[in-house]
Amino acid sequence: MPNKDKIRKLEIRKNELVRNIHTCGYHKKKITNLVSELINQYHNDRISYNEYSRRISASLDNKSPEEWIRYYDDKIRDYNEQINRINEEIK
């Protein structure tokens, strides 16, 4: 069984990872909301397809929404794996 100092450090790291997971979820939701809003504007003829594409590109640093969602999903998966390893180490 790890000593108390090591357990404390592992718990701190685990809390950081949980915060990172929440941050990734927040950013995924922002992307989803942005895309939904722009699609809605495009379908209601408030913006052209070119404007839709320009805004998506500018807002998402020239990456597609799918690329960002995949990126955040991969990060969340990695963070969860790290949490599982920490939990095993704490036992």
Side-chain angles (χ1 to χ4, degrees):
M1 181 170 176
N3 66 37
K4 289 182 182 183
D5 189 47
K6 185 173 182 179
I7 290 174
R8 187 179 57 77
K9 287 179 182 177
L10 290 170
E11 290 290 345
I12 289 169
R13 177 64 182 145
K14 185 175 162 182
N15 289 335
E16 289 173 5
L17 293 167
V18 169
R19 281 193 304 274
N20 290 347
I21 290 169
H22 288 291
T23 299
C24 287
Y26 169 79
H27 288 294
K28 282 177 57 175
K29 186 163 181 67
K30 277 184 64 171
I31 291 166
T32 303
N33 290 343
L34 168 73
V35 171
S36 294
E37 177 59 29
L38 291 175
I39 286 172
N40 186 37
Q41 289 179 21
Y42 170 66
H43 285 300
N44 289 321
D45 294 325
R46 288 185 274 166
I47 60 173
S48 67
Y49 182 77
N50 286 340
E51 181 63 14
Y52 163 82
S53 295
R54 187 194 68 72
R55 288 186 188 180
I56 288 284
S57 182
S59 297
L60 300 179
D61 199 27
N62 295 318
K63 291 185 182 180
S64 72
E66 296 81 11
E67 287 175 298
W68 280 114
I69 298 298
R70 193 171 28 256
Y71 168 81
Y72 288 120
D73 284 343
D74 289 345
K75 296 301 278 183
I76 289 169
R77 189 172 17 267
D78 178 57
Y79 295 145
N80 277 317
E81 288 171 3
Q82 290 182 53
I83 288 171
N84 289 337
R85 285 193 299 271
I86 288 171
N87 286 338
E88 287 300 315
E89 200 167 336
I90 290 173
K91 287 183 181 180

